[in-house]
Coordinates of all heavy atoms in Angstrom, one line a residue:
P158 N -75.7 -35.6 42.0 CA -74.5 -36.5 41.8 C -73.7 -36.1 40.6 O -72.5 -36.4 40.6 CB -75.2 -37.8 41.6 CG -76.6 -37.6 41.2 CD -77.0 -36.3 41.9
D159 N -74.3 -35.6 39.5 CA -73.4 -35.3 38.3 C -73.7 -34.0 37.6 O -73.2 -33.8 36.5 CB -73.5 -36.5 37.3 CG -75.0 -36.7 36.8 OD1 -75.8 -35.9 37.1 OD2 -75.2 -37.7 36.0
L160 N -74.6 -33.2 38.1 CA -75.0 -32.0 37.4 C -73.8 -31.0 37.1 O -73.6 -30.6 36.0 CB -76.1 -31.2 38.1 CG -76.6 -30.0 37.4 CD1 -77.2 -30.2 36.1 CD2 -77.7 -29.3 38.3
L161 N -73.1 -30.7 38.2 CA -72.0 -29.7 38.0 C -70.9 -30.2 37.1 O -70.4 -29.5 36.3 CB -71.5 -29.3 39.4 CG -72.5 -28.5 40.3 CD1 -71.8 -28.1 41.6 CD2 -73.0 -27.2 39.6
P162 N -70.4 -31.5 37.3 CA -69.4 -32.0 36.4 C -69.9 -32.0 34.9 O -69.1 -31.7 34.0 CB -69.1 -33.4 36.9 CG -69.5 -33.3 38.3 CD -70.7 -32.4 38.4
R163 N -71.2 -32.3 34.7 CA -71.7 -32.3 33.3 C -71.7 -30.9 32.7 O -71.4 -30.7 31.6 CB -73.1 -33.0 33.3 CG -73.6 -33.3 31.9 CD -74.9 -34.0 31.9 NE -75.3 -34.2 30.5 CZ -76.5 -34.7 30.2 NH1 -77.4 -34.9 31.1 NH2 -76.8 -34.9 28.9
L164 N -72.2 -30.0 33.5 CA -72.2 -28.6 33.1 C -70.8 -28.1 32.8 O -70.6 -27.4 31.8 CB -72.9 -27.7 34.1 CG -74.4 -27.7 34.2 CD1 -74.9 -27.0 35.4 CD2 -75.0 -27.1 32.9
D165 N -69.8 -28.5 33.6 CA -68.5 -28.0 33.3 C -67.9 -28.6 32.1 O -67.1 -28.0 31.3 CB -67.6 -28.3 34.5 CG -66.2 -27.6 34.4 OD1 -66.2 -26.4 34.4 OD2 -65.2 -28.3 34.4
G166 N -68.2 -29.9 31.8 CA -67.8 -30.5 30.6 C -68.4 -29.8 29.4 O -67.6 -29.6 28.4
I167 N -69.6 -29.5 29.4 CA -70.3 -28.7 28.3 C -69.6 -27.4 28.2 O -69.3 -26.9 27.0 CB -71.8 -28.5 28.6 CG1 -72.5 -29.9 28.5 CG2 -72.4 -27.5 27.6 CD1 -73.9 -29.8 28.9
R168 N -69.3 -26.7 29.3 CA -68.7 -25.4 29.3 C -67.3 -25.4 28.6 O -66.9 -24.5 27.9 CB -68.6 -24.9 30.7 CG -68.1 -23.4 30.9 CD -67.8 -23.1 32.4 NE -66.6 -23.8 32.8 CZ -65.4 -23.4 32.6 NH1 -65.2 -22.2 31.9 NH2 -64.4 -24.0 33.0
R169 N -66.5 -26.5 29.0 CA -65.2 -26.6 28.4 C -65.2 -26.8 26.9 O -64.4 -26.3 26.2 CB -64.4 -27.7 29.1 CG -64.0 -27.3 30.6 CD -63.3 -28.3 31.3 NE -62.9 -27.9 32.6 CZ -61.8 -27.2 32.9 NH1 -61.0 -26.8 32.0 NH2 -61.6 -26.8 34.2
K170 N -66.1 -27.6 26.5 CA -66.3 -27.8 25.0 C -66.7 -26.6 24.3 O -66.2 -26.2 23.2 CB -67.3 -29.0 24.7 CG -66.7 -30.4 25.0 CD -67.7 -31.4 24.7 CE -67.1 -32.8 24.8 NZ -66.6 -33.1 26.1
A171 N -67.6 -25.8 25.0 CA -68.0 -24.5 24.4 C -66.8 -23.5 24.3 O -66.7 -22.7 23.4 CB -69.1 -23.9 25.3
S172 N -65.9 -23.6 25.3 CA -64.7 -22.7 25.2 C -63.9 -23.0 24.0 O -63.5 -22.0 23.3 CB -63.8 -23.0 26.5 OG -62.6 -22.3 26.4
V173 N -63.8 -24.2 23.6 CA -63.0 -24.5 22.4 C -63.8 -24.1 21.2 O -63.2 -23.5 20.2 CB -62.7 -26.1 22.3 CG1 -62.0 -26.4 21.0 CG2 -61.9 -26.5 23.5
M174 N -65.1 -24.3 21.1 CA -65.9 -23.9 20.0 C -65.9 -22.4 19.8 O -66.0 -21.9 18.7 CB -67.3 -24.5 20.2 CG -67.4 -26.0 20.1 SD -69.0 -26.6 20.5 CE -70.0 -26.0 19.2
M175 N -65.8 -21.7 20.9 CA -65.9 -20.2 20.8 C -64.5 -19.6 20.6 O -64.4 -18.4 20.4 CB -66.4 -19.6 22.2 CG -67.9 -20.0 22.5 SD -68.5 -19.5 24.1 CE -69.1 -17.9 23.7
G176 N -63.5 -20.4 20.5 CA -62.1 -20.0 20.3 C -61.5 -19.3 21.5 O -60.5 -18.6 21.3
L177 N -62.0 -19.7 22.7 CA -61.4 -19.1 23.9 C -60.2 -19.9 24.4 O -59.4 -19.4 25.2 CB -62.5 -19.0 25.0 CG -63.7 -18.1 24.7 CD1 -64.8 -18.3 25.7 CD2 -63.2 -16.6 24.6
S178 N -60.2 -21.2 24.0 CA -59.1 -22.1 24.4 C -58.8 -23.1 23.3 O -59.7 -23.3 22.4 CB -59.4 -22.8 25.7 OG -60.5 -23.6 25.5
T179 N -57.6 -23.6 23.3 CA -57.2 -24.5 22.2 C -57.7 -25.9 22.5 O -57.9 -26.7 21.6 CB -55.7 -24.5 22.0 OG1 -55.1 -24.9 23.3 CG2 -55.2 -23.2 21.6
D180 N -57.9 -26.2 23.8 CA -58.5 -27.5 24.2 C -59.3 -27.4 25.4 O -59.2 -26.3 26.1 CB -57.4 -28.6 24.3 CG -56.3 -28.1 25.2 OD1 -56.6 -27.6 26.3 OD2 -55.1 -28.2 24.9
E181 N -60.0 -28.4 25.8 CA -60.8 -28.4 27.0 C -60.0 -28.2 28.3 O -60.4 -27.5 29.2 CB -61.7 -29.7 27.1 CG -62.6 -29.8 25.9 CD -63.4 -31.1 26.0 OE1 -63.7 -31.6 27.1 OE2 -63.6 -31.7 24.9
A182 N -58.8 -28.8 28.3 CA -58.0 -28.8 29.6 C -57.6 -27.4 29.9 O -57.4 -27.0 31.0 CB -56.8 -29.7 29.4
S183 N -57.3 -26.5 28.8 CA -56.8 -25.2 29.1 C -57.9 -24.1 29.2 O -57.6 -23.0 29.3 CB -55.9 -24.8 27.9 OG -56.6 -24.8 26.7

């Protein structure tokens, strides 16, 4: 029910922390 959305949320936050994007949406 929620595994893939939760993983994608973590992934998007990781993108910002790694400097790959300026925000989660991008």
Side-chain angles (χ1 to χ4, degrees):
D159 62 4
L160 180 60
L161 294 182
R163 190 175 180 191
L164 282 169
D165 191 60
I167 292 171
R168 189 190 70 82
R169 289 180 179 276
K170 286 182 171 60
S172 177
V173 177
M174 294 172 65
M175 298 173 88
L177 298 169
S178 62
T179 56
D180 53 48
E181 295 174 37
S183 63

